[in-house]
Amino acid sequence: MTAVSTKPAPAPAQMSRPLLAKLPTPSRLAPVLANVIPPVMILVIFLGLWEFLASGPAATLPPPSKVWTDSYDLIVDPFFDRGGLDKGLFWHLAASLQRVALGFTIAGVVGILTGLLIGTSPFAMRGLDPIFQVLRTVPPLAWLPLSLAAFREAQPSAIFVIFITSVWPIIINTAVGVRNVPQDYRNVAAVIRLRGPAFFWKIVLPSAAPYIFTGLRIGIGLSWLAIVAAEMLIGGVGIGFFVWDAWNSSNLSDIIVALIYVGLVGFALDRVVALAGRLATRGTAAA
């Protein structure tokens, strides 16, 4: 018999693999630049066009270079206080923000409570909604004469104008949020017998929170619009009065600087409320 060979077969040759090239690490700066560069480019183009169009002999508005020259002290030192109404923009903005904080806080409390009532009570919905739909179309400054007649002072009148301007979107959005609680949530609450305050805190309020903060976000923008317009008429320290006083002094450069500050503060207020909304609605279905 022929012996079977027990010699092991040779191992197959190892195929050499090309080394994978190391992928470049994405830069953390890239997303920041992607968000910053486009608005900066648009701003530069806008300022260039503004400078070109406003530098002609027939131009009625000052170019950016003249605004910088005329309002240099106001731009670089917004904190000066020479007494009376001769104050920097910081103090005018601070006075306006105090009025907005009071009026908007009152509007938020009243608006949310009223919206919850309208959203949960069909009787209140039928009785109050038509009235609110009429009142919310009244322009903010149309309320100022009545508020001055009622309160006899400028400060509470301005706060009332802020309140009456910003309360409507809060009421409407809150009521819509309460009425739009998903039926699945209601069914689960019925199965586990969740009623009364527990149903409100665990089902209604979390579900309506995104709508409530949408109303608050709209309301804060309307509050800032209303106070600037109201302060033009009631006088005193405030950014609206500053704009009106600069107009009476024919100082267009100061008006432009003030409007830039108004826009920046309004943007900041909107971002603050939006951030609060994201934090408060984190984990909800609508978020």
Side-chain angles (χ1 to χ4, degrees):
M1 294 181 58
T2 306
V4 179
S5 175
T6 59
K7 184 178 180 180
Q14 294 281 343
M15 296 183 63
S16 61
R17 298 181 185 177
L19 295 177
L20 296 176
K22 186 178 180 181
L23 296 176
T25 304
S27 174
R28 296 180 180 179
L29 194 60
V32 178
L33 293 177
N35 292 327
V36 171
I37 290 179
V40 170
M41 292 178 59
I42 296 298
L43 180 61
V44 170
I45 294 173
F46 171 76
L47 291 176
L49 289 175
W50 179 10
E51 181 75 25
F52 173 75
L53 296 175
S55 298
T60 56
L61 295 177
S65 57
K66 190 174 189 306
V67 172
W68 175 260
T69 303
D70 294 344
S71 303
Y72 176 80
D73 294 336
L74 189 68
I75 297 171
V76 299
D77 185 16
F79 302 101
F80 71 85
D81 186 354
R82 303 188 182 102
L85 299 177
D86 190 8
K87 302 177 184 293
L89 283 177
F90 171 82
W91 304 108
H92 289 284
L93 289 170
S96 298
L97 286 172
Q98 289 178 359
R99 298 185 180 109
V100 168
L102 287 173
F104 179 69
T105 300
I106 299 172
V109 174
V110 174
I112 292 174
L113 294 178
T114 307
L116 292 173
L117 174 64
I118 293 176
T120 55
S121 171
F123 177 80
M125 175 67 182
R126 290 191 295 268
L128 295 176
D129 186 68
I131 299 175
F132 290 164
Q133 294 297 337
V134 172
L135 292 180
R136 74 182 183 88
T137 61
V138 178
L141 291 184
W143 294 101
L144 190 58
L146 291 179
S147 62
L148 287 171
F151 298 107
R152 305 281 179 163
E153 294 182 9
Q155 181 80 353
S157 300
I159 294 174
F160 174 79
V161 170
I162 295 170
F163 162 77
I164 203 69
T165 302
S166 59
V167 72
W168 310 120
I170 301 174
I171 292 175
I172 294 171
N173 280 274
T174 301
V176 170
V178 173
R179 292 198 302 268
N180 285 335
V181 174
Q183 188 60 41
D184 291 344
Y185 291 3
R186 299 181 185 273
N187 295 338
V188 171
V191 169
I192 63 176
R193 298 181 180 179
L194 196 65
R195 301 184 181 89
F199 174 76
F200 171 78
W201 287 108
K202 294 184 178 181
I203 300 296
V204 175
L205 195 59
S207 180
Y211 296 89
I212 294 174
F213 276 95
T214 298
L216 291 173
R217 191 172 175 183
I218 297 173
I220 192 65
L222 294 177
S223 297
W224 191 236
L225 293 176
I227 189 57
V228 173
E231 286 176 345
M232 289 184 178
L233 301 180
I234 64 175
V237 179
I239 193 64
F241 171 77
F242 177 88
V243 171
W244 188 248
D245 185 62
W247 165 254
N248 290 330
S249 303
S250 301
N251 196 338
L252 297 181
S253 295
D254 283 359
I255 295 177
I256 293 173
V257 173
L259 293 182
I260 293 173
Y261 274 92
V262 168
L264 293 175
V265 171
F267 176 77
L269 292 175
D270 178 79
R271 293 291 92 192
V272 168
V273 177
L275 176 60
R278 286 196 296 269
L279 295 176
T281 59
R282 181 177 298 174
T284 62

